[in-house]
Amino acid sequence: MCGIVGYLGKRDAYPILISGLKRLEYRGYDSAGVALVSDDRSLNVFKTKGKVSDLESYCEDKDVSGVVGIAHTRWATHGEPSSQNAHPHYSSSRNLAIIHNGIIENYAEIKKKLIEKGVQFRSDTDTEVLVQLIEYIKEKKHISLLSAVQVALHQVIGAYAIAILDKNDPDQIIAARKQSPLVIGIGEGEFFLGSDASPIIEYTDQVVYLEDGNIAVMRKGEDLEVVSILNKKQELEVKTVDVNLGQIEKGGYPHFMLKEIFEQPECLTNCMRGRINVEANRVTLSAVIDFRRQLLNAKRILIVACGTSWHAGLIGKQIIENLCRIPVEVEYASEFRYCNPVVTKNDVVIAISQSGETADTLAAVDLAKSRGAFVYGICNAIGSSIPRATDTGSYIHVGPEIGVASTKAFTGQVTVLTMLALALADAKGTIARKDYLEIVKGLSEIPDKIREVLKANEKVADLARMFTYAHNFLYLGRGFGYPVALEGALKLKEISYIHAEGYPAAEMKHGPIALIDSDMPVVVIATHNAMYEKVRSNIQEIKARKGRVIALVTKGDETISKIADDIIELPDTIECLEPLVASVPLQLLAYHIAVCKGKNVDQPRNLAKSVTVE
């Protein structure tokens, strides 16, 4: 959840660290800090509660000299957001400083033992326990920092990505990871460190993705060294990152979220490039070609995901079952990993995660593999943990998503799930050729249809101004519209802090209808499909109770448009592809309501982009 940055080289470290923190602030923004080996070889730690901008202000009169440093932006787990709980954390002697992303689960037990040995603590965090443990081992055993880190990491239980500085060895950074991402950039005589590649790509495109259980030693004038906790030297696999700087900057938009909403036509074109041919009559996925037997022989598909990715999974379930006639179950990864699920070698498990680092989804992957299932990953971040852990999979190729509330990653995930369903159905012979060609062509037209929807941005913004007063929203849909309703409600909750619920429209009568009055806005996905007449009846029930209805209707609609209070028109779309079009105005509605309420849409309170801890 937190963001880690590091630099070791010949340049001034502080500007690089601050720039990197700003690029990683979507991972956490409760507090921020830097540790620098100054020009006079002092180890200086500066940190404060708040955002990176607050850290910059705090450091204006401080000695931020030095060419070696580490920095951190925090999403609080243990200990409330405060200056004392901000990272980096000193050891007792102030010779060591550490930054950490993750959770040390047995920190209380270790802390108690260290206190009994006379160690004094300054913070409430689990992270400080780790740096104090490392120093205690180093001093007691008279061993190197690397050896002390290896011994300490043997004793801790949990997830971590860490970076450590030693005042007595100032030309070195040691970093380690387990279940939390860490990327090392390699430049000319310099090293960069990040939770992902975004702080690095400005300086180098050559990176090493640190593997679980490995420790990196970065030292001035030497090559990168990677060893295991058991001190076994590891082979380096240097990869080239294909991300340009423009993808992680706002490009003139007021917020990343709005930029990413408007990027969706181009992103989905990129997602389909090389997978749908120019004639738009065939889908080709390399994973289906390479693992045809495993995928076609599946007796059941289990989709595991969290949050927005789970909503994409619900849409994928309907598409796969409709086209492939394979039973599909969709599970929250956080529940799946603990409920002793029935998983067999005849199952295919699809793991969906934008970051590829979601802790619960990664644990679900490990569980599925241990039961013999074939595991297919759908991720955005290339080289992340889930793609490396799964048997095969597909990247969504929508580019870096910086806004905490997912938009283009959601539509990218749904697009990949649709292509997967089409490729499997074609291979299995469970879809008529006419239907196959119609859906493939329809999918290829989705980017243009989203462009058409985006033309309604100003209308949605005007509509949003009317609903800043609302304390609750209800989102309703049926069939493919139900997961869209869930996703629309989630977007509104995430960034405007208005309570919202998504429901199957027919379930409204089983409880939620009691909430409806003139102060309750109700968003209804009411496109012209097989459920149209039933949804119309649901809207009549809402209007009979004085509810305010905002309806998403198919362009040219003449029935529901006359009943609803407000409408947003959508281009006519094949029913199974409607979520790709219908989700966009709901993203815009949430965005504009949040802006009207003065909320920070890119950094909503209590949330972080990548949930790398439980």
Side-chain angles (χ1 to χ4, degrees), residues 183-187 190-194 200 204 206-208 218:
V183 183
I184 299 165
I186 302 174
E190 58 187 351
F191 297 105
F192 304 86
L193 190 65
I200 296 170
T204 179
Q206 300 298 293
V207 302
V208 171
M218 290 159 275

Side-chain angles (χ1 to χ4, degrees), residues 493-508:
K493 282 184 281 196
E494 284 180 309
I495 61 173
S496 74
Y497 318 145
I498 294 173
H499 173 256
E501 287 191 74
Y503 259 89
E507 289 297 304
M508 177 186 64

Side-chain angles (χ1 to χ4, degrees), residues 65-273:
S65 65
V67 295
V68 179
I70 56 178
H72 188 272
T73 181
R74 183 175 185 241
W75 186 85
T77 53
H78 295 78
E80 65 180 22
S82 67
S83 294
Q84 72 175 20
N85 288 332
H87 299 211
H89 288 284
Y90 275 127
S91 61
S92 290
S93 69
R94 293 182 177 257
N95 286 334
L96 305 182
I98 194 171
I99 53 177
H100 168 223
N101 174 23
I103 291 179
I104 306 302
E105 295 179 6
N106 61 335
Y107 83 100
E109 174 189 340
I110 295 171
K111 185 174 184 177
K112 180 180 178 182
K113 291 179 180 178
L114 290 172
I115 290 173
E116 290 171 353
K117 296 178 186 301
V119 176
Q120 295 185 341
F121 287 81
R122 304 180 183 94
S123 76
D124 303 317
T125 68
D126 55 330
T127 300
E128 188 187 356
V129 172
L130 183 53
V131 73
Q132 300 286 22
L133 176 63
I134 290 168
E135 179 167 83
Y136 179 81
I137 292 169
K138 183 176 183 290
E139 297 303 318
K140 182 178 180 181
K141 294 181 178 290
H142 303 289
I143 56 178
S144 69
L145 178 60
L146 173 60
S147 297
V149 169
Q150 290 168 324
V151 173
L153 294 182
H154 269 295
Q155 297 182 26
V156 301
I157 299 170
Y160 54 78
I162 60 171
I164 309 170
L165 293 180
D166 184 349
K167 179 180 179 180
N168 296 317
D169 193 356
D171 294 333
Q172 172 185 261
I173 298 176
I174 289 181
R177 73 153 285 183
K178 179 184 177 185
Q179 297 176 7
S180 287
L182 212 50
V183 183
I184 299 165
I186 302 174
E188 292 292 332
E190 58 187 351
F191 297 105
F192 304 86
L193 190 65
S195 294
D196 61 38
S198 60
I200 296 170
I201 58 173
E202 183 176 352
Y203 310 101
T204 179
D205 63 356
Q206 300 298 293
V207 302
V208 171
Y209 295 97
L210 203 60
E211 297 285 349
D212 259 12
N214 284 350
I215 301 170
V217 180
M218 290 159 275
R219 180 176 287 279
K220 277 187 184 179
E222 299 182 12
D223 292 335
L224 177 66
E225 180 184 359
V226 178
V227 297
S228 69
I229 293 178
L230 298 174
N231 206 38
K232 182 179 179 181
K233 189 171 182 177
Q234 305 294 298
E235 292 293 323
L236 294 184
E237 185 178 0
V238 181
K239 297 189 175 182
T240 301
V241 179
D242 185 21
V243 177
N244 65 63
L245 203 55
Q247 290 178 300
I248 59 172
E249 295 180 342
K250 291 180 184 175
Y253 287 88
H255 299 95
F256 279 110
M257 183 178 177
L258 188 62
K259 174 178 180 267
E260 288 158 4
I261 291 171
F262 272 82
E263 284 177 340
Q264 287 174 107
E266 180 183 357
C267 290
L268 297 192
T269 298
N270 292 337
C271 179
M272 290 183 267
R273 183 172 286 118

